[in-house]
Structure formats: C-alpha cells, structure tokens
Amino acid sequence: MIFRELNRGKCKTYLAISAATGKAAVIDPLREKIERYLTVLAYHGWRLDLIIDTHTHADHRSGAMELGELADAPVAMHRLAPAPHVSIHVEDGQTLKVGEEELCVLHTPGHTVDSISLLAKDRVFTGDVLFIHGTGRADLPGGDAGIQYDSIMRKLFTLSDEVLVFPAHDYRGHTQSSIGEEKRSNPRLAGKSRDEYIELMNSLGLPLPEGIQETLQPNQSDLDAGALTWPPLSQLNQVRQLSSAQLRDRIASANPPLLVDVRQESEYRGELGHIAGAHLIPLKELPERTGELGNAKGRDIVVICRVGVRSATAAAILTGLGFEQVWNLGGGMIEWKDAQLPVERGP
Ligand SMILES: [Fe+2]
C-alpha cells in the first residue's frame, strides 16, 4: 500500500492506495481541499474508490459527501454516524477493501460515539481518539473520557508496539509515532489510571470550537449553512430524551404521541424502516411544514431520526417554535431496531 498525507496542515487527510490496482481510499477529507485531492488523484492516475470519515467532525466541514458525489465513490462511517450521505456503515472488526488491500475497522469511541480507527498492515489511523503525545478532547457532543481511555487501552494499545500511529490532527509538527512510543511517553496516558485520565480530561477547560454548531450540524445532517437556524448547544442539551422501550409504551398508551421522523425520504423507506404512523418531515423542511402538525402544540410529539442526533436538533427547533411537549427518541431508529421493535418499510 502507498500512503500520503495530503494537507500539510494541522488537520490530516490521508490517502491509502493499493499499488497493484491504483484504487485509493481517502480518510477524513476537508471540504475546502477537495479540488486538491482530485488533482493529486488524477495526476497519479489513482482511482478514488472509497471515502472514510473517522468520525463526525466538529472542527471542520467534512468533504466526504461532496467528494463522494464528484468521484462516484461511497462514503464509509461507523453505524452510529448520524449523517444521511453515509452509504457503508461499518462496525468493529469489519474490513474495508481498497483494491486487494484491506483496512480493518476498530470502533474506538470516546472523542465521539462514532469514532473509528483504521488499521492497515503497518499503521493505524487513529482519527481524533489518539494523537501523537496527546488525545482528542472528550468534552464535545458524544464525547466521554472514560470510554476514550478504554478505547485506547483495549483496542489501540493492544496492537503491536511497532504499529505506526497517524492521527487526524497534529498541532506540534509531528508526522508519525508508534503504539510503543505512545504507550511509553504519551503524557496523558503513560502511567495514568482510568480515573486519573478522566480527571485530567475533565479539568482541561477548553473553550468550544468557534462556530461549532455551524460546522457540526451541517456535517451530521448534510444541510448547508443557511438551510436552518441551528439551535445552540445549550438548547440541545435541554431536549428531553425517550428510550425505545419508553416510546413503545407511550405508543401503546391511551394517549399516544405524534411521531415525526426527520430523516430523508430514502432513509424513511430504506433498510432501517420507520415506526408505523410516523409522519415524515425531513429536517430541512421542518420550519416551513409545522402546519402539518396541526393542533399539536399541546400534544406530545416524539421526534425520530437515525441515531437521535438530527432529531435532537429538530426537537430543539420545535420547542423554539412553541411546541411545548417535545421528546427525542434517543438512539433513534438504530436503537429501536436493536431492541427488535417493529418497523414498517417501503411506501
Ligand atoms: Fe474530531
């Protein structure tokens, strides 16, 4: 396999090319550099076969969807990734083919719930979970320092010491490290217990990335800036959550809630299916279609999407528009399906 880092900046985008076939995978493309990637690919005669985002990015707009459209290449992410453009949902232990070569998926949550690392023969792409002499922050939506510690200790630090480490960010000019080097000298991890790591991460007091909602929300919904007014994180944190079992019971009760599914139509009719009776209003159309919710301002409304992320945004928007009894199906249709609750498919 041939490997290249394409950005020469603090955000890292990697290209992995099968030498025998010229087929290539791009990992974590930045939206503003798509033309550069296509130029490099064309210059070398490599064919873009696969695009992978290691997680839902909060600090830059992902180029995955647009690059996928331009190059006719599928986008792979973990199954808990919220964005609708993902066509290959992967899980821990799965392999992704690049020509005759393979990238093995390790689910390494903690920076986000959908974080994966990708193991090639001699190297691992660690996304924002493990950095060179650092780790990705665990305080953004979906982050959890304890889970991140477990991902690093149980998945990454059980790889061979010689495996090279290539993170999605580096702020200090490093270009590569190794598992052995990070085990020995990563200042956040070496000699630290799980509790010490959690305490350290929780005491960092980092400011939120500037304009986080204007980056994160489009990345997780495929909607461009201007499509919606994004609710601030503080409002999202106030959204009331229902589990799949709670929703099942509410649907069976004498006063069932109105179900609003905010995915795209292809998802609603697709493999995951939808809950019987759920009214489809894609997130983008929600503000102008609240009239369809009739006199539901006093009625209970439960908002639904793939993993509960886009629907949390929808719930905050509805609350802001004066709907008082709004809940989010936390975990979305993925959790509903995992709980083996009934779905409808097709039209
Ligand atoms: Fe990140």
Side-chain angles (χ1 to χ4, degrees):
M1 234 176 186
I2 306 165
F3 297 97
R4 296 284 169 90
E5 196 283 300
L6 297 175
N7 299 338
R8 314 275 165 100
K10 290 172 179 170
C11 282
K12 306 290 183 186
T13 296
Y14 299 99
L15 198 56
I17 308 111
S18 133
T21 64
K23 289 183 178 175
V26 68
I27 303 171
D28 291 326
L30 308 182
R31 198 190 198 200
E32 71 266 24
K33 297 210 165 169
I34 286 172
E35 282 167 35
R36 174 189 180 107
Y37 308 149
L38 290 171
T39 305
V40 169
L41 288 159
Y43 178 84
H44 291 279
W46 294 325
R47 190 190 152 77
L48 186 59
D49 224 31
L50 180 64
I51 299 158
I52 308 166
D53 259 336
T54 56
H55 62 286
T56 301
H57 297 282
D59 62 328
H60 64 264
R61 283 298 307 277
S62 166
M65 181 178 71
E66 206 171 326
L67 193 55
E69 282 176 1
L70 289 170
D72 272 336
V75 176
M77 287 185 80
H78 189 262
R79 76 190 287 257
L80 296 178
H85 67 264
V86 179
S87 50
I88 302 175
H89 286 106
V90 295
E91 295 190 60
D92 188 59
Q94 207 168 322
T95 51
L96 288 163
K97 283 266 191 194
V98 186
E100 78 295 355
E101 306 272 7
E102 288 182 342
L103 295 170
C104 179
V105 174
L106 307 172
H107 185 211
T108 47
H111 173 63
T112 62
V113 290
D114 62 358
S115 288
I116 56 173
S117 297
L118 297 157
L119 179 63
K121 278 192 188 97
D122 65 338
R123 65 194 66 206
V124 63
F125 299 96
T126 55
D128 283 3
V129 177
L130 175 65
F131 292 156
I132 297 173
H133 298 168
T135 57
R137 58 194 293 178
D139 59 338
L140 299 180
D144 184 302
I147 290 173
Q148 187 182 34
Y149 184 87
D150 295 338
S151 289
I152 293 168
M153 291 299 165
R154 294 180 193 165
K155 298 263 176 72
L156 298 175
F157 280 6
T158 54
L159 300 172
S160 150
D161 277 2
E162 293 73 45
V163 170
L164 301 172
V165 171
F166 291 90
H169 285 289
D170 186 84
Y171 303 97
R172 286 163 292 198
H174 306 294
T175 53
Q176 71 176 61
S177 180
S178 69
I179 292 293
E181 166 76 13
E182 293 309 312
K183 279 206 273 197
R184 273 191 304 278
S185 59
N186 189 308
R188 287 197 180 163
L189 297 159
K192 293 267 191 315
S193 70
R194 191 176 192 274
D195 285 344
E196 286 167 338
Y197 181 74
I198 294 170
E199 200 184 318
L200 171 68
M201 294 304 280
N202 290 347
S203 69
L204 293 177
L206 300 167
L208 283 178
E210 206 175 308
I212 176 172
Q213 286 301 77
E214 284 61 41
T215 302
L216 186 55
Q217 295 274 358
N219 279 347
Q220 61 199 16
S221 65
D222 287 356
L223 298 178
D224 265 314
L228 288 173
T229 305
W230 303 113
L233 271 182
S234 56
Q235 275 176 29
L236 289 176
N237 291 337
Q238 285 166 23
V239 170
R240 289 170 287 188
Q241 308 285 335
L242 279 187
S243 69
S244 289
Q246 286 170 322
L247 178 56
R248 176 201 59 202
D249 294 347
R250 288 238 200 159
I251 290 171
S253 74
N255 186 21
L258 182 65
L259 307 180
V260 180
D261 193 318
V262 297
R263 291 174 296 165
Q264 297 184 356
E265 186 166 356
S266 57
E267 299 176 273
Y268 181 87
R269 309 210 183 284
E271 173 246 327
L272 267 180
H274 54 266
I275 300 174
H279 186 65
L280 175 66
I281 306 182
L283 177 59
K284 186 182 180 180
E285 298 165 20
L286 187 62
E288 73 235 28
R289 287 180 59 188
T290 52
E292 293 172 33
L293 305 180
N295 278 337
K297 283 212 164 149
R299 193 176 159 191
D300 291 357
I301 298 177
V302 179
V303 198
I304 301 162
C305 71
R306 178 182 167 82
V307 296
V309 169
R310 278 176 280 161
S311 54
T313 299
I317 288 172
L318 286 176
T319 303
L321 290 172
F323 292 87
E324 286 164 10
Q325 306 297 327
V326 184
W327 278 263
N328 179 37
L329 176 61
M333 288 305 295
I334 287 279
E335 192 189 293
W336 182 268
K337 184 189 177 198
D338 287 351
Q340 300 185 326
L341 292 164
V343 297
E344 287 190 349
R345 289 195 182 81

